[in-house]
Amino acid sequence: MSTTSFPEGFVWGVSTSAFQIEGATSADGRGPSIWDGFSADRVEACDHYHRHPEDVQLMKDLGMAAYRFSVSWARVIPAGSGKVNEAGLDFYDRLLDELLAAGITPYATLYHWDLPQAIEDNGGWPARDTARHFADYAAAVHDRLGDRVDTWFTLNEPWVAAFLGYGAGIHAPGRKSAADAFTAAHHMLLAHGLAVQALRAGGAAKVGAVLNISPVLTPAQVSDFGRTLSEEDAEAVTRIDALANRQFLDPMLRGAYPADLLPIIERSVGLGHVQDGDLGLIAQPIDLLGVNYYTPLVVQAQPSEPADPAFPGSEGVLFCTVPTAVTAMGWSIVPNCLSLLLGRLSREYPGIDLMVTENGADFVDVVTGDGIHDVDRINFIEEHLRALRAAVEDGAPVRGYLVWTLLDNLEWSDGYQRKFGLVHVDFATQRRRPKDSALWYRDVIARNGLPETRQKRPTLETVAARAGVSRATVSRVVNGEASVSPEVRAAVMQAVRELGYVPNAAARSLVTRRTNAIALVLSVPRQGGDPLTAAVVQYVTSLLEGAGKQITLMLADTAESHRRIVSHVEAGLSDGVVLLPPERADTLAERLSRIGVPVVLLGKPPIASLVPYVDVDNAGGATTATEHLIARGRRTIGMICGPMDLVAVQDRLAGHREALQRAGMRPLLALADDLTRAAGKAAAHRLLGDEPSLDAIFAASDQLAIGALQAAREAGRRVPEDLAIVGFDDVDAASATTPALTTVRVPVADQALALARLMLSRLEGRHTTSVVLPARLVVRDST
Ligand code: FCB
């Protein structure tokens, strides 16, 4: 095996799940599932139910050897138990024939969270009968499809299904009970054991389960796994490991609950639901353990901390965010954890083959005329494959790797805003387009290994991920600052060398005065919160790079970083600065332009300034949206405002007030602390509670508006009949909500283009003025 190749016979492929791609939720006798009604979004998903021939062809073209999909229980047994719906099985029958004809090995998962609603109505997973029904369903599926599927997975990530679904209530069915969560988890384990028996009885060749195993670390361990812990921190780590990982690993693979977990379960719900003989049933021998890995759990002891509802029994443990590179989902990127975790499994649970059944990342994708250049996703997968390869080298029996996922899809409670696909899906047309990552992965599969040369343009992000530190740390190291420890500096410099990263034009600028470099200064990183800004950042980067400029990304999140940016520019290391977006009332833009380099801003600055900017007409868009509601006959209109220190929010509020004033109506405002769905939902509930006659809501962003849609449904208000809702931004998800959201479109590509043009003409010394782009109302069904 060379340094970049994988063992012979290593299995390459992708994973998907039924609810996230199939759509067709009432076709051919399918019964309702708990996710159909829980999802705030349209459930057509990728319409894979009808487009599977195209999707299989796509996988064939990409050279996939394996495809892990899940079977929808509600398609096969619409009422959850009892009569089998042959028409539902026909779909999987066709799919399997196509896969086999394409030379792709199917891996079937029997449960990926979409419980039949009828089973939930009879108690759901906290009811013991559910385990028995699941085994019957497994037998029915195997009966029909067993001749073409060799490898069966019973459950996908039972921790998520039990603790997010029944404990924290953020997944379907949305219950919030620690007792229900522990009972559900036990019955899932039991269902697994019974299904393994049923599958074996039917003659299944290989059977396993898929778990999300999360390495549990303290913040200090993220950059140094070997770090010794205080007694308190060690206890916190062990307790969370019991709840997240060993709760499932130990019963399945050792036939016992971890001794340190039993008292926690007992305190929450007692142990009456664990009957004699259960653990023997659960611990059926299995052939393959599927491991899903995305990000570690980072915790530390913190005496006053209340329990997190997703981890009942976690009192005194703080869940931490660490300054590593993150995906758009906000998940820390720590590739080496994959080696750590595969090594651990092979040592502590020996004798079972392992397969990475999910790994992948949500990044903001920008569709350009010549494709989707998702370098971040490629880097993410490449880094994780290197980590996987290191584990194999150390003897972990890892047989394959499946990327999550083939298509951009319906990401559970987060809807269509998340982009995990190797293939882009336009949800208005269902058009599929392979991203660069798909083509890159095709090459990896073809050579059974990683490319010898790395991606042409390693980014600061890649270096940060490789070294396990934040982007800010990398930039501190490459800018030669003293505030970094020698160990961290060595790790960063090693990553820089290995990746062949060219830090910035610093070296060159010493020779020529003109550096050809532009600093892109991100003033507030709103990870996960603001997909549009992220898209503009990415697009403007590629436009400026296309114009031959070298981009240095810098974060302006602290006073110290402001000083660093100013001295970077004063030292002549940048010809120009693009500042995105000046959300807080600071004077960085002014200070930078006084140095004499051109500065341009994304977004109108909070303080009047001579620095030119590109913005959309936030006030005008809000006026149009509000006038639209008035024209629809709405008389009691509330507004959900985002954080008032955002200039765009201030302007949207001003535009809204203006329209109301003209109509002689008074404003009704609810403030949201941030721009998330959760904040929008809470604010909408307040408006509905305070104002019984409320008949319309204008929200300052689409995510807030989607939260308002959820609140309306919870409050039993019909949209648009009882309540019209308008958002702002027109993010992808807006066209896919139920009902589809009326919103104000912010033209992302036009903004990036205008910003790049403004910068380039200022570099050429031309006089330029600010650009305000029109924000157009897009009318959909929510009004
Ligand atoms: C995993 C799930 C999968 C998808 C990814 C992002 O936990 O199994 O369905 O949601 O996360």
Side-chain angles (χ1 to χ4, degrees), residues 739-750:
L741 193 65
T742 294
T743 180
V744 180
R745 175 166 304 158
V746 170
V748 171
D750 294 353

Side-chain angles (χ1 to χ4, degrees), residues 7-53:
E8 221 179 284
F10 191 81
V11 178
W12 298 99
V14 284
S15 280
T16 64
S17 92
F19 179 75
Q20 293 179 274
I21 62 167
E22 285 180 2
T25 49
S26 48
D28 303 323
R30 178 190 179 277
S33 90
I34 53 172
W35 271 98
D36 301 1
F38 191 80
S39 172
D41 301 273
R42 247 197 307 147
V43 290
E44 270 86 344
C46 310
D47 195 28
H48 171 74
Y49 189 79
H50 297 112
R51 292 168 197 264
H52 55 95

Side-chain angles (χ1 to χ4, degrees), residues 365-368 370-374 377 424 433-437:
D365 291 325
V366 179
V367 181
T368 71
D370 66 345
I372 299 137
H373 307 305
D374 56 338
R377 190 171 291 101
H424 176 271
R433 232 176 318 172
K435 304 175 191 175
D436 285 359
S437 57

Side-chain angles (χ1 to χ4, degrees), residues 17 20 112-113 156-157 292 294 331 358 404 411-412 420:
S17 92
Q20 293 179 274
H112 201 126
W113 309 351
N156 177 73
E157 302 192 358
N292 294 353
Y294 292 91
W331 292 351
E358 286 182 27
W404 183 267
E411 174 58 30
W412 309 111
F420 278 91

Side-chain angles (χ1 to χ4, degrees), residues 397-476:
V398 189
R399 304 302 176 215
Y401 175 86
L402 309 178
V403 171
W404 183 267
T405 179
L406 179 66
L407 305 169
D408 287 343
N409 65 22
L410 176 47
E411 174 58 30
W412 309 111
S413 301
D414 275 357
Y416 296 95
Q417 61 173 322
R418 301 293 171 206
K419 307 291 175 191
F420 278 91
L422 294 175
V423 174
H424 176 271
V425 177
D426 176 339
F427 288 100
T429 60
Q430 290 291 353
R431 176 174 171 207
R432 275 77 162 139
R433 232 176 318 172
K435 304 175 191 175
D436 285 359
S437 57
L439 308 177
W440 174 87
Y441 192 48
R442 180 190 59 194
D443 295 345
V444 169
I445 299 173
R447 60 159 73 86
N448 192 34
L450 295 168
E452 300 287 342
T453 52
R454 288 159 183 285
Q455 272 301 296
K456 270 182 254 87
R457 189 168 57 85
T459 58
L460 200 65
E461 193 98 74
T462 338
V463 178
R466 167 65 68 96
V469 300
S470 69
R471 283 180 302 199
T473 305
V474 174
S475 90
R476 253 179 265 145

Side-chain angles (χ1 to χ4, degrees), residues 610-624:
L610 291 175
V611 183
Y613 61 83
V614 172
D615 206 345
V616 286
D617 184 4
N618 287 303
T623 303
T624 313

Side-chain angles (χ1 to χ4, degrees), residues 525-572:
R526 291 187 163 257
Q527 288 294 352
D530 185 6
L532 293 189
T533 305
V536 176
V537 172
Q538 191 170 329
Y539 198 33
V540 83
T541 306
S542 72
L543 287 167
L544 290 172
E545 282 180 344
K549 304 293 168 194
Q550 180 136 12
I551 304 302
T552 309
L553 186 64
M554 305 182 94
L555 289 184
D557 46 356
T558 58
E560 164 57 28
S561 65
H562 284 204
R563 277 194 290 280
R564 181 158 19 97
I565 291 161
V566 169
S567 55
H568 175 91
V569 175
E570 269 171 355

